[in-house]
PDB file of all heavy atoms in Angstrom:
ATOM      1  N   ILE A  12       6.918  -7.228  -1.086  1.00  0.00           N
ATOM      2  CA  ILE A  12       6.617  -7.697   0.274  1.00  0.00           C
ATOM      3  C   ILE A  12       7.172  -9.099   0.511  1.00  0.00           C
ATOM      4  O   ILE A  12       7.302  -9.882  -0.426  1.00  0.00           O
ATOM      5  CB  ILE A  12       5.102  -7.673   0.568  1.00  0.00           C
ATOM      6  CG1 ILE A  12       4.332  -8.551  -0.415  1.00  0.00           C
ATOM      7  CG2 ILE A  12       4.575  -6.244   0.580  1.00  0.00           C
ATOM      8  CD1 ILE A  12       2.896  -8.801  -0.021  1.00  0.00           C
ATOM      9  N   LYS A  14       7.585 -12.981   2.565  1.00  0.00           N
ATOM     10  CA  LYS A  14       6.736 -14.180   2.685  1.00  0.00           C
ATOM     11  C   LYS A  14       5.720 -14.054   3.826  1.00  0.00           C
ATOM     12  O   LYS A  14       4.585 -14.524   3.712  1.00  0.00           O
ATOM     13  CB  LYS A  14       7.611 -15.413   2.914  1.00  0.00           C
ATOM     14  CG  LYS A  14       8.385 -15.828   1.688  1.00  0.00           C
ATOM     15  CD  LYS A  14       7.516 -16.593   0.677  1.00  0.00           C
ATOM     16  CE  LYS A  14       8.285 -16.839  -0.604  1.00  0.00           C
ATOM     17  NZ  LYS A  14       7.466 -16.850  -1.807  1.00  0.00           N
ATOM     18  N   LYS A  16       4.302 -11.338   5.062  1.00  0.00           N
ATOM     19  CA  LYS A  16       3.211 -10.442   4.656  1.00  0.00           C
ATOM     20  C   LYS A  16       2.300 -11.152   3.649  1.00  0.00           C
ATOM     21  O   LYS A  16       1.076 -11.001   3.693  1.00  0.00           O
ATOM     22  CB  LYS A  16       3.799  -9.153   4.051  1.00  0.00           C
ATOM     23  CG  LYS A  16       2.816  -8.018   3.974  1.00  0.00           C
ATOM     24  CD  LYS A  16       2.485  -7.453   5.340  1.00  0.00           C
ATOM     25  CE  LYS A  16       1.379  -6.437   5.304  1.00  0.00           C
ATOM     26  NZ  LYS A  16       0.950  -6.028   6.641  1.00  0.00           N
ATOM     27  N   GLN A  17       2.901 -11.923   2.768  1.00  0.00           N
ATOM     28  CA  GLN A  17       2.092 -12.668   1.793  1.00  0.00           C
ATOM     29  C   GLN A  17       1.173 -13.656   2.497  1.00  0.00           C
ATOM     30  O   GLN A  17       0.000 -13.800   2.138  1.00  0.00           O
ATOM     31  CB  GLN A  17       3.002 -13.422   0.816  1.00  0.00           C
ATOM     32  CG  GLN A  17       3.804 -12.508  -0.087  1.00  0.00           C
ATOM     33  CD  GLN A  17       4.610 -13.259  -1.136  1.00  0.00           C
ATOM     34  OE1 GLN A  17       4.248 -14.360  -1.551  1.00  0.00           O
ATOM     35  NE2 GLN A  17       5.708 -12.669  -1.582  1.00  0.00           N
ATOM     36  N   ALA A  27     -12.024 -13.303   4.045  1.00  0.00           N
ATOM     37  CA  ALA A  27     -12.966 -12.583   3.179  1.00  0.00           C
ATOM     38  C   ALA A  27     -13.848 -13.558   2.393  1.00  0.00           C
ATOM     39  O   ALA A  27     -15.019 -13.271   2.126  1.00  0.00           O
ATOM     40  CB  ALA A  27     -12.188 -11.686   2.209  1.00  0.00           C
ATOM     41  N   GLU A  29     -15.235 -16.083   3.335  1.00  0.00           N
ATOM     42  CA  GLU A  29     -16.393 -16.452   4.167  1.00  0.00           C
ATOM     43  C   GLU A  29     -17.598 -15.555   3.881  1.00  0.00           C
ATOM     44  O   GLU A  29     -18.742 -15.927   4.162  1.00  0.00           O
ATOM     45  CB  GLU A  29     -16.051 -16.365   5.663  1.00  0.00           C
ATOM     46  CG  GLU A  29     -14.998 -17.339   6.114  1.00  0.00           C
ATOM     47  CD  GLU A  29     -15.415 -18.774   5.865  1.00  0.00           C
ATOM     48  OE1 GLU A  29     -16.521 -19.153   6.303  1.00  0.00           O
ATOM     49  OE2 GLU A  29     -14.654 -19.512   5.176  1.00  0.00           O
ATOM     50  N   TYR A  35     -24.838 -19.562  -7.227  1.00  0.00           N
ATOM     51  CA  TYR A  35     -24.976 -20.150  -8.571  1.00  0.00           C
ATOM     52  C   TYR A  35     -23.758 -20.977  -8.945  1.00  0.00           C
ATOM     53  O   TYR A  35     -23.884 -22.128  -9.356  1.00  0.00           O
ATOM     54  CB  TYR A  35     -25.269 -19.038  -9.593  1.00  0.00           C
ATOM     55  CG  TYR A  35     -26.455 -18.236  -9.122  1.00  0.00           C
ATOM     56  CD1 TYR A  35     -26.302 -16.931  -8.636  1.00  0.00           C
ATOM     57  CD2 TYR A  35     -27.726 -18.812  -9.067  1.00  0.00           C
ATOM     58  CE1 TYR A  35     -27.393 -16.223  -8.140  1.00  0.00           C
ATOM     59  CE2 TYR A  35     -28.816 -18.118  -8.553  1.00  0.00           C
ATOM     60  CZ  TYR A  35     -28.652 -16.824  -8.089  1.00  0.00           C
ATOM     61  OH  TYR A  35     -29.713 -16.144  -7.580  1.00  0.00           O
ATOM     62  N   LEU A  44      -6.407  -6.861  -0.358  1.00  0.00           N
ATOM     63  CA  LEU A  44      -5.647  -5.902  -1.156  1.00  0.00           C
ATOM     64  C   LEU A  44      -4.837  -4.995  -0.226  1.00  0.00           C
ATOM     65  O   LEU A  44      -5.402  -4.332   0.650  1.00  0.00           O
ATOM     66  CB  LEU A  44      -6.631  -5.062  -1.979  1.00  0.00           C
ATOM     67  CG  LEU A  44      -6.095  -3.885  -2.774  1.00  0.00           C
ATOM     68  CD1 LEU A  44      -5.146  -4.349  -3.867  1.00  0.00           C
ATOM     69  CD2 LEU A  44      -7.270  -3.100  -3.391  1.00  0.00           C
ATOM     70  N   LEU A  45      -3.525  -4.994  -0.431  1.00  0.00           N
ATOM     71  CA  LEU A  45      -2.629  -4.173   0.401  1.00  0.00           C
ATOM     72  C   LEU A  45      -2.339  -2.864  -0.312  1.00  0.00           C
ATOM     73  O   LEU A  45      -1.854  -2.859  -1.466  1.00  0.00           O
ATOM     74  CB  LEU A  45      -1.321  -4.938   0.645  1.00  0.00           C
ATOM     75  CG  LEU A  45      -0.216  -4.207   1.426  1.00  0.00           C
ATOM     76  CD1 LEU A  45      -0.645  -3.953   2.869  1.00  0.00           C
ATOM     77  CD2 LEU A  45       1.080  -5.023   1.374  1.00  0.00           C
ATOM     78  N   PHE A  62     -26.841 -12.879 -13.455  1.00  0.00           N
ATOM     79  CA  PHE A  62     -25.457 -13.243 -13.828  1.00  0.00           C
ATOM     80  C   PHE A  62     -24.506 -12.080 -14.116  1.00  0.00           C
ATOM     81  O   PHE A  62     -23.473 -11.997 -13.486  1.00  0.00           O
ATOM     82  CB  PHE A  62     -25.430 -14.222 -15.009  1.00  0.00           C
ATOM     83  CG  PHE A  62     -25.928 -15.599 -14.680  1.00  0.00           C
ATOM     84  CD1 PHE A  62     -26.443 -15.901 -13.413  1.00  0.00           C
ATOM     85  CD2 PHE A  62     -25.914 -16.618 -15.614  1.00  0.00           C
ATOM     86  CE1 PHE A  62     -26.908 -17.175 -13.094  1.00  0.00           C
ATOM     87  CE2 PHE A  62     -26.375 -17.900 -15.311  1.00  0.00           C
ATOM     88  CZ  PHE A  62     -26.882 -18.164 -14.057  1.00  0.00           C
ATOM     89  N   ILE A  66     -19.939  -9.553  -9.318  1.00  0.00           N
ATOM     90  CA  ILE A  66     -18.616  -8.906  -9.207  1.00  0.00           C
ATOM     91  C   ILE A  66     -17.639  -9.856  -8.550  1.00  0.00           C
ATOM     92  O   ILE A  66     -17.985 -10.624  -7.645  1.00  0.00           O
ATOM     93  CB  ILE A  66     -18.702  -7.565  -8.450  1.00  0.00           C
ATOM     94  CG1 ILE A  66     -17.363  -6.833  -8.534  1.00  0.00           C
ATOM     95  CG2 ILE A  66     -19.138  -7.742  -7.001  1.00  0.00           C
ATOM     96  CD1 ILE A  66     -17.458  -5.344  -8.430  1.00  0.00           C
ATOM     97  N   LYS A  75     -13.776  -0.773  -3.068  1.00  0.00           N
ATOM     98  CA  LYS A  75     -13.892  -0.264  -1.692  1.00  0.00           C
ATOM     99  C   LYS A  75     -12.762   0.719  -1.408  1.00  0.00           C
ATOM    100  O   LYS A  75     -12.965   1.800  -0.841  1.00  0.00           O
ATOM    101  CB  LYS A  75     -13.843  -1.420  -0.689  1.00  0.00           C
ATOM    102  CG  LYS A  75     -15.141  -2.205  -0.599  1.00  0.00           C
ATOM    103  CD  LYS A  75     -14.944  -3.521   0.160  1.00  0.00           C
ATOM    104  CE  LYS A  75     -14.643  -3.353   1.627  1.00  0.00           C
ATOM    105  NZ  LYS A  75     -14.441  -4.685   2.290  1.00  0.00           N
ATOM    106  N   THR A  83      -3.018   4.003  -4.754  1.00  0.00           N
ATOM    107  CA  THR A  83      -1.743   3.301  -4.958  1.00  0.00           C
ATOM    108  C   THR A  83      -1.751   1.996  -4.169  1.00  0.00           C
ATOM    109  O   THR A  83      -2.117   1.954  -2.990  1.00  0.00           O
ATOM    110  CB  THR A  83      -0.551   4.176  -4.515  1.00  0.00           C
ATOM    111  OG1 THR A  83      -0.735   4.599  -3.168  1.00  0.00           O
ATOM    112  CG2 THR A  83      -0.399   5.384  -5.417  1.00  0.00           C
ATOM    113  N   ILE A  90      -7.872 -16.038  -3.019  1.00  0.00           N
ATOM    114  CA  ILE A  90      -8.027 -17.466  -2.751  1.00  0.00           C
ATOM    115  C   ILE A  90      -9.389 -17.914  -3.261  1.00  0.00           C
ATOM    116  O   ILE A  90     -10.405 -17.241  -3.037  1.00  0.00           O
ATOM    117  CB  ILE A  90      -7.823 -17.788  -1.254  1.00  0.00           C
ATOM    118  CG1 ILE A  90      -7.822 -19.289  -1.009  1.00  0.00           C
ATOM    119  CG2 ILE A  90      -8.834 -17.073  -0.359  1.00  0.00           C
ATOM    120  CD1 ILE A  90      -7.238 -19.683   0.345  1.00  0.00           C
ATOM    121  N   ALA A  97      -6.410 -19.515  -7.799  1.00  0.00           N
ATOM    122  CA  ALA A  97      -7.460 -18.651  -8.362  1.00  0.00           C
ATOM    123  C   ALA A  97      -6.812 -17.447  -9.043  1.00  0.00           C
ATOM    124  O   ALA A  97      -6.726 -16.358  -8.460  1.00  0.00           O
ATOM    125  CB  ALA A  97      -8.413 -18.212  -7.266  1.00  0.00           C
ATOM    126  N   TYR A  98      -6.397 -17.641 -10.278  1.00  0.00           N
ATOM    127  CA  TYR A  98      -5.816 -16.515 -11.017  1.00  0.00           C
ATOM    128  C   TYR A  98      -6.904 -15.491 -11.315  1.00  0.00           C
ATOM    129  O   TYR A  98      -8.011 -15.863 -11.710  1.00  0.00           O
ATOM    130  CB  TYR A  98      -5.213 -16.998 -12.337  1.00  0.00           C
ATOM    131  CG  TYR A  98      -3.885 -17.704 -12.185  1.00  0.00           C
ATOM    132  CD1 TYR A  98      -3.808 -19.085 -12.064  1.00  0.00           C
ATOM    133  CD2 TYR A  98      -2.705 -16.965 -12.159  1.00  0.00           C
ATOM    134  CE1 TYR A  98      -2.580 -19.728 -11.911  1.00  0.00           C
ATOM    135  CE2 TYR A  98      -1.474 -17.594 -12.017  1.00  0.00           C
ATOM    136  CZ  TYR A  98      -1.426 -18.967 -11.895  1.00  0.00           C
ATOM    137  OH  TYR A  98      -0.223 -19.599 -11.759  1.00  0.00           O
ATOM    138  N   CYS A 103     -10.640  -8.250 -14.005  1.00  0.00           N
ATOM    139  CA  CYS A 103      -9.961  -7.787 -12.771  1.00  0.00           C
ATOM    140  C   CYS A 103      -8.525  -7.350 -13.072  1.00  0.00           C
ATOM    141  O   CYS A 103      -8.041  -6.368 -12.504  1.00  0.00           O
ATOM    142  CB  CYS A 103      -9.994  -8.883 -11.711  1.00  0.00           C
ATOM    143  SG  CYS A 103     -11.651  -9.132 -11.036  1.00  0.00           S
ATOM    144  N   MET A 107      -6.751  -3.725 -12.309  1.00  0.00           N
ATOM    145  CA  MET A 107      -5.427  -3.574 -11.709  1.00  0.00           C
ATOM    146  C   MET A 107      -4.551  -2.679 -12.585  1.00  0.00           C
ATOM    147  O   MET A 107      -3.792  -1.832 -12.092  1.00  0.00           O
ATOM    148  CB  MET A 107      -4.757  -4.936 -11.512  1.00  0.00           C
ATOM    149  CG  MET A 107      -5.460  -5.809 -10.488  1.00  0.00           C
ATOM    150  SD  MET A 107      -4.804  -7.491 -10.485  1.00  0.00           S
ATOM    151  CE  MET A 107      -6.093  -8.357  -9.557  1.00  0.00           C
ATOM    152  N   ALA A 108      -4.676  -2.851 -13.917  1.00  0.00           N
ATOM    153  CA  ALA A 108      -3.856  -2.078 -14.853  1.00  0.00           C
ATOM    154  C   ALA A 108      -4.136  -0.579 -14.735  1.00  0.00           C
ATOM    155  O   ALA A 108      -3.281   0.243 -15.062  1.00  0.00           O
ATOM    156  CB  ALA A 108      -4.113  -2.537 -16.282  1.00  0.00           C
ATOM    157  N   THR A 119      -1.818 -15.846  -5.598  1.00  0.00           N
ATOM    158  CA  THR A 119      -3.052 -16.629  -5.761  1.00  0.00           C
ATOM    159  C   THR A 119      -2.869 -17.985  -5.107  1.00  0.00           C
ATOM    160  O   THR A 119      -1.765 -18.552  -5.085  1.00  0.00           O
ATOM    161  CB  THR A 119      -3.408 -16.853  -7.247  1.00  0.00           C
ATOM    162  OG1 THR A 119      -2.501 -17.800  -7.794  1.00  0.00           O
ATOM    163  CG2 THR A 119      -3.339 -15.572  -8.039  1.00  0.00           C
ATOM    164  N   GLU A 133       2.867  -7.207 -14.381  1.00  0.00           N
ATOM    165  CA  GLU A 133       3.555  -7.259 -15.684  1.00  0.00           C
ATOM    166  C   GLU A 133       3.577  -8.690 -16.237  1.00  0.00           C
ATOM    167  O   GLU A 133       3.382  -8.904 -17.431  1.00  0.00           O
ATOM    168  CB  GLU A 133       4.982  -6.710 -15.534  1.00  0.00           C
ATOM    169  CG  GLU A 133       5.903  -6.908 -16.716  1.00  0.00           C
ATOM    170  CD  GLU A 133       5.427  -6.222 -17.998  1.00  0.00           C
ATOM    171  OE1 GLU A 133       4.544  -5.378 -17.943  1.00  0.00           O
ATOM    172  OE2 GLU A 133       5.958  -6.587 -19.073  1.00  0.00           O
ATOM    173  N   PRO A 137       0.859  -8.641 -19.657  1.00  0.00           N
ATOM    174  CA  PRO A 137       1.844  -7.871 -20.402  1.00  0.00           C
ATOM    175  C   PRO A 137       1.178  -7.058 -21.525  1.00  0.00           C
ATOM    176  O   PRO A 137       0.054  -7.380 -21.934  1.00  0.00           O
ATOM    177  CB  PRO A 137       2.777  -8.938 -20.971  1.00  0.00           C
ATOM    178  CG  PRO A 137       1.970 -10.176 -21.021  1.00  0.00           C
ATOM    179  CD  PRO A 137       0.941 -10.079 -19.917  1.00  0.00           C
ATOM    180  N   PRO A 142      -3.808   3.797 -18.492  1.00  0.00           N
ATOM    181  CA  PRO A 142      -3.850   5.263 -18.440  1.00  0.00           C
ATOM    182  C   PRO A 142      -2.778   5.910 -19.305  1.00  0.00           C
ATOM    183  O   PRO A 142      -2.991   6.956 -19.907  1.00  0.00           O
ATOM    184  CB  PRO A 142      -3.626   5.565 -16.956  1.00  0.00           C
ATOM    185  CG  PRO A 142      -4.086   4.353 -16.235  1.00  0.00           C
ATOM    186  CD  PRO A 142      -3.787   3.208 -17.146  1.00  0.00           C
TER     187      PRO A 142
END
Side-chain angles (χ1 to χ4, degrees):
I12 59 168
K14 289 281 173 212
K16 197 71 187 172
Q17 293 185 27
E29 296 300 307
Y35 306 108
L44 173 65
L45 177 66
F62 290 3
I66 189 153
K75 283 167 68 181
T83 55
I90 187 164
Y98 283 94
C103 289
M107 293 171 195
T119 73
E133 170 62 14

